[in-house]
Amino acid sequence: IKTSVSMSLYADETASRCKYVASDLHALEAWNDHNVMGDHYAIAQPTIRPLHSTASAIESFMVWADVAKRGGKDSKVVHDKMRELWIQWGMPGSGYTDEHTYWNMMVHNSCGETQVSDPTEPAFTGSLSSVKAPTISGKWEVVMYQKSAMGIGQQANNPWLQEMAD
């Protein structure tokens, strides 16, 4: 791989294998939004100012794509983009007619329910005839699973999660 970038809070094992390490903001320092379930969407707003000279991964991608300029420690790049997208996609059908009121209510409530059209399923036109089942060569078989408490490892350095039973 010619270029590898790790967007991380820590200089962990993944970061050590990448050519570039771009720091990311902690969840308490960054704007974000989440699709919690179904038609329920949530906004996460920063509760503290960034502690160091870092930028969110979203802002970094926007700068690298040349659609934004780095905003500095008090950057509003992600806030402005999120506001634009929430007004574009969330406001229609919400009952609000004023953009300012809609955005302020979404940030105040931290969430909103929006009817979104069902995703379409692409048609598969390939062939699976050449795919063969793996052969087991010995008496041991490795089964890997995702630990329910640890997820994908984002909180792997949290000692409380290390002690949790599966």
Side-chain angles (χ1 to χ4, degrees), residues 82-155:
M82 275 185 52
R83 183 180 191 280
E84 173 192 326
L85 292 173
W86 271 74
I87 289 169
Q88 178 183 354
W89 297 104
M91 191 172 151
S94 67
Y96 290 95
T97 56
D98 173 36
E99 293 178 1
H100 182 73
T101 305
Y102 170 74
W103 175 249
N104 285 342
M105 288 307 297
M106 291 302 104
V107 171
H108 175 270
N109 296 336
S110 296
C111 61
E113 293 194 25
T114 304
Q115 292 294 327
V116 177
S117 59
D118 291 332
T120 58
E121 187 174 312
F124 177 71
T125 58
S127 172
L128 297 176
S129 61
S130 64
V131 177
K132 296 179 182 144
T135 57
I136 299 173
S137 60
K139 62 181 181 179
W140 293 95
E141 184 175 331
V142 177
V143 177
M144 297 187 188
Y145 68 99
Q146 181 174 310
K147 207 171 171 188
S148 59
M150 293 271 250
I152 59 171
Q154 268 184 313
Q155 297 293 325

Side-chain angles (χ1 to χ4, degrees), residues 11-24:
D12 56 12
E13 293 86 3
T14 302
S16 69
R17 299 265 185 198
C18 292
K19 190 171 185 176
Y20 302 100
V21 179
S23 58
D24 195 4

Side-chain angles (χ1 to χ4, degrees), residues 3-104:
T3 304
S4 57
V5 181
S6 172
M7 309 290 279
S8 178
L9 293 172
Y10 310 102
D12 56 12
E13 293 86 3
T14 302
S16 69
R17 299 265 185 198
C18 292
K19 190 171 185 176
Y20 302 100
V21 179
S23 58
D24 195 4
L25 294 178
H26 186 274
L28 295 177
E29 300 172 317
W31 283 94
N32 214 329
D33 58 359
H34 310 279
N35 177 214
V36 183
M37 62 182 184
D39 293 336
H40 192 84
Y41 296 87
I43 294 176
Q45 57 182 310
T47 54
I48 60 173
R49 188 172 184 234
L51 299 176
H52 305 286
S53 297
T54 56
S56 73
I58 298 169
E59 183 175 343
S60 293
F61 283 121
M62 290 174 67
V63 168
W64 296 337
D66 206 24
V67 295
K69 299 288 182 221
R70 184 75 66 202
K73 194 163 180 124
D74 293 317
S75 176
K76 291 187 72 179
V77 170
V78 176
H79 168 272
D80 294 344
K81 188 62 174 179
M82 275 185 52
R83 183 180 191 280
E84 173 192 326
L85 292 173
W86 271 74
I87 289 169
Q88 178 183 354
W89 297 104
M91 191 172 151
S94 67
Y96 290 95
T97 56
D98 173 36
E99 293 178 1
H100 182 73
T101 305
Y102 170 74
W103 175 249
N104 285 342

